[in-house]
Amino acid sequence: MKNSKRFSFIKSFLFVLILLILILVFYGKSYSQQWSGLSYGMDNWVHALCVYNGELIAGGQFTSAGGVPANYIAKWNGYSWSPLGAGVNAEVDALCVYNGELVAGGRFTMAGGIEVNFIAKWNGTAWDDELGGVGSIVAALTVYNGKLVAGGYFVNADDLPVNYIATRVSGGWQAMAGGMGGSQGQVMALGHYGSDLIAAGFFTSAGGQSANHIARWDGTSWFPLGSGISNIVYSLEQYNGELIAGGLFLSAGGISAKSIAKWNGSTWAPLGSGITGSIYQYVFGLTVLNNELYAGGLYETAGGLTANGIAKWNGSSWAAMNGGLYYGGSNAYGAFCVDTFQNKVIVGGLFTTAGSVGVGHIAQWGFPQTGTLNITVIPEGFYNTGSKTLYQNDVADAAIFETVPPFSYIATASAIIDSVTLTGSFQFTEVPTGSYYVGVYHRNSIETWSSAPVNFVSGGTSNYDFTTAGVKAFGSNMKQVDASPIRFGIYSGDVNLDGAVDATDLLQVYNDVTEFVTGYVSTDVTGNNAVDVTDLIIVYNNSKNFIVTIVP
């Protein structure tokens, strides 16, 4: 019997040692940029992205986001998707923020049950049709000189001839010096360069003068950018003081430039050897993060490197991004839109895999961001009133939850509660800054939640002390363990972790007392590595008082 107990103790000791080593390794590891999904993603393609009211907005062809019904448009708060009211009735192709409200454009004719004409706005709680309408698909939106600008397939706006581009003024839509022309005049992208508005797309004239697929607007008139670009431009961005244009073309300003080029205000130049592919060579989305340019589209190579629909340019060379994007069975790699959110690159499109990670048409790329939550907590039985410390360090878990019903679980972290400071440092990765309920879990204690939401800072440090007052726990579900200083502890004795201290726990402890069990076991309620009468008394008292978990 004695040898059996010694062997059991050694096994327990080794288990704890390995667990502590794993925690320390986890805390000390360095992260590299990587792909991850945004919950379950969407059930169909994503075409547009923007940030509104601190949340990521996605539009496209989908009707569910993260498993939640969401008609063609949804918002992501960093850990879950939700719809924007009843959504719209068809594809969303363009998004922007104007006068503090979200504007969506696309192929839809209803928004929130209201009849609209390809454009609508969301004020944070409801859709409306105050922007009037245009005659066909809206493919691009931006704000220039405080006014909303829309581009697309339409030739009329509010029944006024505008030719593929219009600006919103008080009283309605207004034409912009005759708009665009050519065999096809569609505007597919809108952007800015210096003090000018930039429009790009299918057109070969702007304001009645030659402008091959790209033009600038100074507030009054249209002007070409050199001799323009040889074919369709789908995306625009500013990077390192230059204008970047992406699309489906082979030259810019008469110089070879494969599907992506830069304009310095007077001349065009390529970005390395550009974007290529055996079937597709489109650049549909551009964004900048941490002084790197990200190009998303349908293509295979960037700068001669296999990239599969997404690559980054550092100003002198291209780099692939861990395997890129793939949509099985279509022989197509890629993205329709690229943006940034919470210091990560967000990509939406037709893909279902990013790197080696399965995703649903939307993914994020970046360094996992870790925030630390220092929690001070006392397991009742572990507290030594003489030394004002715990009998030993011990491992605990902390979980964070949403603050509104049904208080959905978000993430869990483990830490060592220090016997002297009574504090553990819990590190949460990929949890956005915000307020959350915090639940603490210990190997033989009652699950205990914070009495109110706790502020958490992604990439920073936050603190919560359960010990200073009983009311720091939800339902005041703690016991005073010291009078000087006043300290409260979470109830001990739930050795089977079923949310109640009851006869089942009492029986387990009693059996181990009679067997003189020692070591790191759940029935050791005091943490002195021996199951004895003191453990039994604590469990008996808490079972007699019907101690159970109390949560919102």
Side-chain angles (χ1 to χ4, degrees):
M1 175 68 73
K2 187 178 291 184
N3 288 338
S4 174
K5 290 176 181 175
R6 183 179 293 117
F7 181 64
S8 175
F9 173 78
I10 292 171
K11 287 197 299 181
S12 299
F13 176 77
L14 289 174
F15 171 77
V16 175
L17 182 62
I18 291 168
L19 180 60
L20 296 182
I21 290 171
L22 287 174
I23 291 173
L24 291 172
V25 169
F26 174 78
Y27 286 172
K29 72 188 285 188
S30 60
Y31 293 105
S32 60
Q33 287 179 298
Q34 58 190 252
W35 289 108
S36 58
L38 281 70
S39 183
Y40 303 109
M42 279 56 169
D43 65 345
N44 212 327
W45 299 356
V46 175
H47 287 266
L49 297 166
C50 83
V51 177
Y52 170 67
N53 276 356
E55 296 180 306
L56 177 69
I57 310 297
Q61 295 179 238
F62 56 86
T63 55
S64 74
V68 177
N71 291 317
Y72 306 99
I73 191 166
K75 59 183 180 179
W76 168 258
N77 60 13
Y79 51 83
S80 64
W81 289 101
S82 55
L84 275 68
V88 297
N89 69 337
E91 182 179 315
V92 172
D93 293 308
L95 296 165
C96 82
V97 178
Y98 172 60
N99 282 349
E101 296 181 308
L102 176 70
V103 180
R107 302 167 186 260
F108 55 88
T109 55
M110 298 284 288
I114 300 169
E115 187 173 338
V116 296
N117 288 312
F118 307 102
I119 192 167
K121 65 183 177 73
W122 168 262
N123 63 13
T125 57
W127 291 97
D128 67 53
D129 62 351
E130 292 177 7
L131 292 175
V134 297
S136 189
I137 302 164
V138 173
L141 291 165
T142 195
V143 176
Y144 175 70
N145 283 350
K147 298 176 182 177
L148 179 66
V149 180
Y153 291 72
F154 55 89
V155 294
N156 296 298
D158 286 340
D159 298 322
L160 173 74
V162 294
N163 292 327
Y164 309 103
I165 190 166
T167 185
R168 184 74 182 178
V169 297
S170 58
W173 290 99
Q174 184 179 78
M176 299 173 68
M180 309 314 195
S183 59
Q184 296 184 80
Q186 297 96 313
V187 171
M188 304 304 294
L190 292 169
H192 304 84
Y193 184 59
S195 61
D196 293 330
L197 169 72
I198 307 297
F202 286 75
F203 59 86
T204 54
S205 69
Q209 63 176 312
S210 177
N212 290 313
H213 306 287
I214 192 165
R216 67 179 181 89
W217 171 260
D218 67 356
T220 305
S221 305
W222 290 105
F223 301 91
L225 275 67
S227 59
I229 294 176
S230 64
N231 205 355
I232 308 163
V233 176
Y234 287 101
S235 52
L236 297 166
E237 184 61 88
Q238 289 190 69
Y239 173 67
N240 280 353
E242 296 178 308
L243 174 68
I244 310 297
L248 177 64
F249 52 83
L250 295 177
S251 67
I255 298 170
S256 176
K258 296 176 181 177
S259 294
I260 191 164
K262 59 184 180 179
W263 169 259
N264 64 9
S266 58
T267 59
W268 287 101
L271 275 68
S273 59
I275 303 293
T276 61
S278 59
I279 299 176
Y280 302 104
Q281 306 89 37
Y282 295 86
V283 175
F284 285 129
L286 295 166
T287 196
V288 174
L289 180 65
N290 297 331
N291 203 37
E292 292 184 306
L293 173 72
Y294 291 80
L298 304 186
Y299 60 85
E300 294 171 31
T301 67
L305 302 173
T306 300
N308 297 333
I310 184 73
K312 59 182 179 178
W313 169 260
N314 64 8
S316 59
S317 62
W318 288 100
M321 296 166 60
N322 196 23
L325 313 169
Y326 183 63
Y327 181 57
S330 72
N331 200 27
Y333 307 87
F336 292 142
C337 51
V338 187
D339 209 333
T340 63
F341 180 66
Q342 294 182 343
N343 205 39
K344 289 184 173 62
V345 173
I346 310 296
V347 183
L350 56 77
F351 56 90
T352 52
T353 300
S356 60
V357 180
V359 296
H361 305 287
I362 191 165
Q364 58 186 353
W365 167 267
F367 293 100
Q369 196 165 19
T370 299
T372 299
L373 180 56
N374 293 322
I375 298 176
T376 303
V377 64
I378 298 171
E380 170 201 356
F382 276 53
Y383 188 69
N384 184 331
T385 55
S387 64
K388 313 297 184 183
T389 64
L390 304 183
Y391 285 107
Q392 64 169 274
N393 295 347
D394 208 7
V395 177
D397 291 332
I400 56 178
F401 303 86
E402 292 185 15
T403 59
V404 294
F407 308 106
S408 299
Y409 163 82
I410 297 170
T412 301
S414 296
I416 301 167
I417 304 300
D418 184 82
S419 63
V420 176
T421 66
L422 314 176
T423 300
S425 294
F426 297 83
Q427 295 188 336
F428 292 91
T429 302
E430 301 292 9
V431 174
T433 296
S435 294
Y436 306 97
Y437 275 113
V438 175
V440 174
Y441 305 82
H442 176 254
R443 60 178 160 126
N444 49 33
S445 301
I446 281 289
E447 172 187 354
T448 306
W449 284 37
S450 59
S451 58
V454 177
N455 291 325
F456 174 82
V457 180
S458 180
T461 300
S462 307
N463 304 285
Y464 192 79
D465 190 343
F466 279 93
T467 69
T468 57
V471 294
K472 296 300 288 290
F474 194 88
S476 298
N477 198 31
M478 286 195 298
K479 181 176 182 177
Q480 186 168 342
V481 295
D482 203 341
S484 181
I486 293 175
R487 282 177 172 165
F488 285 78
I490 60 176
Y491 285 105
S492 295
D494 185 14
V495 298
N496 62 3
L497 300 179
D498 66 352
V501 184
D502 53 24
T504 306
D505 304 296
L506 193 62
L507 182 60
Q508 283 186 237
V509 175
Y510 174 79
N511 288 337
D512 284 358
V513 169
T514 61
E515 291 293 322
F516 303 101
V517 171
T518 60
Y520 190 86
V521 292
S522 63
T523 48
D524 175 25
V525 177
T526 57
N528 63 355
N529 292 318
V531 186
D532 53 28
V533 173
T534 306
D535 302 299
L536 194 64
I537 292 172
I538 291 173
V539 178
Y540 171 77
N541 287 334
N542 286 340
S543 64
K544 183 181 65 174
N545 290 324
F546 304 103
I547 298 302
V548 297
T549 296
I550 302 176
V551 298

